Amino acid sequence: MRAVCTIVLLLLAASASAQQVAIIANRSVPADSLSQREVLDIYSGDVRTWKNGVPVVPFDLSQDGVVRDTFYEYLGKKSSRMKSIWMKNLLMGECQPPRTVDNEIKLLDQVSATPGGIGYLSLQSVNDSVKVLTVIAGSPAPD
Amino acid sequence: MQFRHWKLGVKFTVAVGVVFALMAAGNLWSMSVILSLKSDLDDVSRNWMGRIIAISEINRSTADLRMRQLRYVASDSLAVLQEQGAEIITLIDQINNNRDTYEELRRISTRKPADSLYEWGLYDAFDRNWDAYQTDILSVIQSKLVGGALQTVIIGSDPPGDIFDSIRVSLNKLVEINKSYAVKAADAAEARLQAFRVASEILLIGSILMSGVFTIVIVRLITRPIRKLVAAAGQVADGELDVRLDIDSRDEIGNLAASFNVMTRALRDSRDRSVRQSAELQRQHSELQAAHLGLASQKDETDRANRGLADALHKLREAQEELLMKEKTAFLGQLVAGVAHELNNPAGALMSADDVSRRILNRLQAINAQRPEATAEVAPLIKSLENNLEVSRTAAERIRDIVSSLRSFARLDEAEVQQADIHQGIDSSIILLGTEVPNRITMTKNYGDLPRITCRPAQLNQVFYNILRNAVDAIEGQGAIAISTETDGDFALLRFSDSGRGIPADRLQQVFGFTLGQGAGRVRMGSGLIASYSIIQQHRGDIAIESTEGVGTTVRIRLPLGRS
């Protein structure tokens, strides 16, 4: 009985710490939700303008962590792969890589301040200064 | 159901099927082993070697990339920048392709080596370092070309360098570990191949032996019963029908054996039946033989009976003829008697008239004597009258004699047996012969001292008449007939001889038969002699004829006197 209870509690704890990541965008962005494909295109540099012609400005977190891992898992590509894509885009002069910020607070500020900005952070960090396009239910945090 | 009851076709199929199944199993096993070997070798070549190559390529590419990046950073012309940039792009592509290859190989690999977690840890470390390295390079590249203008970038500390070294370490370790896997896999394949070769050889020998055993077993299962069958058939052919096959199986051979037994039993039964039938036939044959003998004797009896019947028929015919003759005779007799009776009256009348006439004649003669004046006229008349009276008297007497003879001849009232005077009969027969007798034929009678004979006078008279008639007919012109009678012991001997033409010797045989006689100008049936013969026979007498052509005929009759 005690073993069962312990296992249940651990599972609950695990599920509780499953990171929910929100994809946020500047409030002026003419979209209220995006599909996974669209997000991937944006971050791959294949989509560079919003429908209203405003350039897309993607932001990326620099610190390794669950949020980052969850986001890239959602995109379906590893971060290192994305970096290769960005490097190619950069060298071919196509477009700049997403802007890197140190932490979520900076990201939030940047996205809310940049028209056409789009980024990702943990759901609990979201506030009204930005609009939430998608919420990703991540996998439980590794031990 | 038991094996031995399966049909032959099934047995064969099963046996062959088993053999084939074993062979197929062996083949399949071989194939699976070969496939395993192939997969092992695939593993070695494609999987491990592939991985090794991929990782080695990444290693080389990253090294090359590092160089390009340094050049890029150190370049001072856009052309170089672009050139190096292009190279970097190519290298990045190569690295990513090799990464794809490696990850794909990992994904499809079904092997789970014990330290695959370790390997994945190494790759993960490479990935993170590679990510960090690229982050740094990205910022360096970004800072090199700002707003289209080349920037001089001084590289101080070289965190990318450290990261790069870590990358290399991870990659080298990956290569090593994959190499070790490859070697292990190759060794495993080698061992498997060896084992397979041994097992294969064992299997080959085993399957040959098993096929042989199977074949022998099956063939024997088939040939043994067949041999039994052949032997039994041979025995039956030799005639031993008490053979019985005991092949206990419900397959075709078993059925054949059962049929054989049925057939043999049928043959036995048939043979027994034949034997019984033969015995029966034998018995019947004996019976038939006995019956045949019986029939033969019956036939003899029947023949005898037939002969008896023929005799009887002959006798019947004779009797019939006799009866006919008797009827004729009776009729004639009656006729004759009737005529005689009728004639009697006129004959009597004549006689009495004659008597009267004589008296008248006497009166006339007396008167004539008294009247001599009329004598010259009357005397010739009286003479003539006398003569006529004489003629008529003679004629009347003749009529009377004939009538009397006829009556005595017929003797109808005397048809029964009686004591009769033979001479009387002969005489009356003579009278009936007619005027020929005294005219041209001389009759000589030599009567002996015959007593009255017990006989049928009417019949005897018929005989005498026939003989005398024939004698008269046989004499042409003048001739003589001699009749003599005498006694000889208990018999009366009568002899009638004539001087007629005689009977030819060949006809003498048939004289008592049905022949045509030749009387002078008359054709007469000789059947009178048949009747005569028959009558004499009835009287228990004999009648015999001797005759010489041209000389004459003698008929001898012997009659028993009937004294007792």
Side-chain angles (χ1 to χ4, degrees):
Chain A
M1 187 63 196
R2 269 175 69 143
V4 171
C5 285
T6 316
I7 289 166
V8 169
L9 278 168
L10 278 171
L11 282 171
L12 279 170
S15 63
S17 66
Q19 191 56 261
Q20 281 188 301
V21 171
I23 298 175
I24 50 158
N26 187 271
R27 291 207 82 87
S28 71
V29 157
D32 292 319
S33 76
L34 288 175
S35 69
Q36 179 258 353
R37 183 81 219 177
E38 285 165 326
V39 177
L40 179 62
D41 287 343
I42 284 166
Y43 272 81
S44 304
D46 294 333
V47 171
R48 293 182 207 143
T49 54
W50 294 103
K51 276 192 243 175
N52 56 9
V54 172
V56 177
V57 184
F59 288 90
D60 185 36
L61 283 173
S62 65
Q63 46 176 167
D64 278 339
V66 175
V67 173
R68 199 159 187 273
D69 289 343
T70 307
F71 176 70
Y72 282 104
E73 209 180 298
Y74 173 72
L75 285 187
K77 283 203 193 296
K78 283 200 163 79
S79 169
S80 58
R81 297 280 190 156
M82 293 304 289
K83 295 236 163 54
S84 299
I85 294 168
W86 295 341
M87 208 180 303
K88 275 168 66 177
N89 288 341
L90 183 63
L91 286 169
M92 286 194 285
E94 304 248 314
C95 65
Q96 295 290 316
R99 298 182 194 176
T100 316
V101 287
D102 294 338
N103 56 51
E104 288 185 8
I105 297 159
K106 281 195 186 158
L107 185 131
L108 193 63
D109 289 339
Q110 290 281 342
V111 170
S112 59
T114 313
I118 178 171
Y120 63 90
L121 43 60
S122 60
L123 187 58
Q124 55 256 37
S125 307
V126 175
N127 63 21
D128 287 343
S129 63
V130 293
K131 72 159 102 170
V132 175
L133 295 178
T134 316
V135 175
I136 307 161
S139 46
D143 287 78
Chain B
M1 195 158 80
Q2 285 170 306
F3 176 73
R4 62 166 183 220
H5 292 308
W6 293 350
K7 296 287 170 232
L8 283 179
V10 173
K11 276 181 184 150
F12 272 131
T13 309
V14 164
V16 168
V18 165
V19 169
F20 273 152
L22 288 171
M23 279 169 53
N27 267 344
L28 282 171
W29 176 76
S30 306
M31 276 207 354
S32 82
V33 167
I34 288 169
L35 284 171
S36 300
L37 278 173
K38 177 181 184 303
S39 137
D40 282 348
L41 294 171
D42 267 357
D43 242 14
V44 169
S45 63
R46 256 190 287 162
N47 191 13
W48 305 125
M49 293 307 295
R51 286 191 204 183
I52 291 164
I53 289 166
I55 300 295
S56 303
E57 288 292 309
I58 292 169
N59 214 356
R60 199 175 55 77
S61 300
T62 48
D64 209 359
L65 182 69
R66 172 107 183 104
M67 194 180 63
R68 302 285 176 187
Q69 280 163 350
L70 288 171
R71 284 200 197 149
Y72 186 91
V73 165
S75 71
D76 52 6
S77 78
L78 273 172
V80 172
L81 207 69
Q82 281 200 322
E83 188 195 319
Q84 296 306 312
E87 286 293 317
I88 288 167
I89 289 167
T90 310
L91 285 166
I92 286 170
D93 279 338
Q94 279 178 0
I95 288 164
N96 281 327
N97 285 339
N98 282 313
R99 283 192 71 182
D100 287 338
T101 304
Y102 176 81
E103 281 167 26
E104 185 63 23
L105 285 172
R106 260 199 72 95
R107 195 181 62 76
I108 66 174
S109 169
T110 54
R111 302 297 169 116
K112 297 256 184 299
D115 38 10
S116 72
L117 271 174
Y118 173 62
E119 186 200 354
W120 188 244
L122 286 170
Y123 186 77
D124 205 43
F126 153 74
D127 179 63
R128 287 190 189 281
N129 283 327
W130 178 239
D131 191 47
Y133 181 75
Q134 283 182 105
T135 310
D136 283 337
I137 297 299
L138 264 171
S139 66
V140 164
I141 290 171
Q142 272 179 308
S143 64
K144 184 68 186 175
L145 194 61
V146 176
L150 271 173
Q151 309 293 324
T152 308
V153 177
I154 314 277
I155 299 174
S157 65
D158 193 15
D162 297 332
I163 296 169
F164 186 73
D165 288 337
S166 304
I167 287 169
R168 295 212 67 179
V169 166
S170 301
L171 289 175
N172 286 334
K173 282 190 184 165
L174 272 170
V175 168
E176 284 310 312
I177 196 149
N178 278 299
K179 265 194 195 168
S180 76
Y181 292 156
V183 166
K184 271 192 214 165
D187 288 343
E190 181 67 34
R192 198 191 290 275
L193 183 65
Q194 274 305 110
F196 175 66
R197 277 177 58 179
V198 168
S200 204
E201 274 157 22
I202 291 172
L203 196 66
L204 180 68
I205 292 165
S207 58
I208 288 170
L209 282 174
M210 222 188 193
S211 302
V213 165
F214 253 77
T215 309
I216 289 168
V217 165
I218 292 297
V219 163
R220 276 197 54 198
L221 266 178
I222 306 297
T223 58
R224 255 193 39 216
I226 290 180
R227 262 202 281 269
K228 277 193 197 173
L229 198 64
V230 167
Q235 281 181 295
V236 168
D238 285 339
E240 271 179 60
L241 292 186
D242 296 316
V243 179
R244 205 198 127 78
L245 274 176
D246 93 61
I247 292 174
D248 174 26
S249 161
R250 266 177 264 149
D251 66 3
E252 287 88 337
I253 294 185
N255 286 341
L256 183 61
S259 302
F260 178 87
N261 286 335
V262 166
M263 179 194 77
T264 314
R265 193 175 61 229
L267 280 172
R268 270 205 300 277
D269 291 345
S270 165
R271 175 198 61 187
D272 294 342
R273 257 205 311 280
S274 291
V275 166
R276 276 200 301 275
Q277 277 177 359
S278 169
E280 179 69 16
L281 277 171
Q282 198 65 20
R283 189 184 63 78
Q284 281 180 1
H285 179 68
S286 309
E287 273 180 21
L288 273 172
Q289 275 191 327
H292 178 69
L293 286 171
L295 276 173
S297 70
Q298 269 185 19
K299 180 176 179 302
D300 290 340
E301 277 180 32
T302 311
D303 284 343
R304 273 202 297 278
N306 277 346
R307 280 199 296 278
L309 278 171
D311 286 345
L313 189 68
H314 185 68
K315 285 197 178 109
L316 200 67
R317 282 216 186 93
E318 284 185 350
Q320 206 177 17
E321 282 173 8
E322 216 177 278
L323 198 67
L324 204 63
M325 284 309 299
K326 278 198 186 137
E327 279 184 6
K328 273 205 245 179
T329 312
F331 171 68
L332 277 173
Q334 277 179 341
L335 191 68
V336 160
V339 164
H341 183 72
E342 292 301 310
L343 279 176
N344 228 15
N345 291 337
L350 271 175
M351 287 302 292
S352 45
D354 183 71
D355 216 21
V356 168
S357 298
R358 279 197 191 269
R359 281 182 223 271
I360 295 170
L361 180 65
N362 289 339
R363 273 292 292 155
L364 280 175
Q365 278 177 330
I367 292 171
N368 188 31
Q370 290 170 7
R371 294 182 193 208
E373 68 269 10
T375 304
E377 264 184 80
V378 173
L381 289 170
I382 289 170
K383 192 78 189 158
S384 173
L385 196 63
E386 233 178 15
N387 291 340
N388 281 322
L389 280 175
E390 201 53 48
V391 169
S392 62
R393 186 189 188 93
T394 307
E397 278 176 350
R398 177 125 186 100
I399 290 171
R400 188 196 58 199
D401 284 342
I402 288 172
V403 167
S404 158
S405 292
L406 277 175
R407 292 181 86 181
S408 95
F409 187 83
R411 298 254 186 150
L412 270 183
D413 49 349
E414 296 170 29
E416 312 88 37
V417 174
Q418 33 177 275
Q419 307 268 339
D421 183 3
I422 295 297
H423 296 143
Q424 224 182 349
I426 295 174
D427 287 341
S428 51
S429 302
I430 292 169
I431 291 174
L432 287 171
L433 283 174
T435 53
E436 287 176 288
V437 172
N439 289 352
R440 60 180 181 92
I441 295 170
T442 317
M443 184 72 71
T444 315
K445 293 195 287 190
N446 199 355
Y447 289 164
D449 189 14
L450 283 186
R452 295 177 89 85
I453 295 176
T454 310
C455 64
R456 291 202 167 94
Q459 291 184 346
L460 284 180
N461 292 343
Q462 207 177 336
V463 172
F464 302 146
Y465 179 80
N466 278 328
I467 292 165
L468 289 170
R469 183 78 252 170
N470 289 340
V472 166
D473 287 340
I475 297 169
E476 290 164 9
Q478 303 283 343
I481 296 176
I483 304 171
S484 68
T485 68
E486 59 180 347
T487 57
D488 178 21
D490 289 328
F491 291 92
L493 296 178
L494 313 172
R495 203 169 66 112
F496 303 82
S497 300
D498 68 66
S499 64
R501 72 177 83 82
I503 303 167
D506 53 346
R507 273 192 52 218
L508 204 57
Q509 304 293 322
Q510 306 162 10
V511 76
F512 288 120
F514 198 82
T515 59
L516 290 170
Q518 279 176 303
R522 280 177 288 173
V523 173
R524 200 151 40 91
M525 302 292 209
S527 58
L529 281 175
I530 295 175
S532 305
Y533 185 82
S534 168
I535 289 162
I536 300 299
Q537 286 287 315
Q538 277 176 18
H539 283 84
R540 286 193 283 283
D542 301 309
I543 179 167
I545 301 182
E546 295 161 6
S547 184
T548 314
E549 258 189 290
V551 175
T553 309
T554 303
V555 178
R556 285 182 219 276
I557 295 175
R558 206 165 71 124
L559 287 170
L561 294 172
R563 288 196 282 245
S564 57

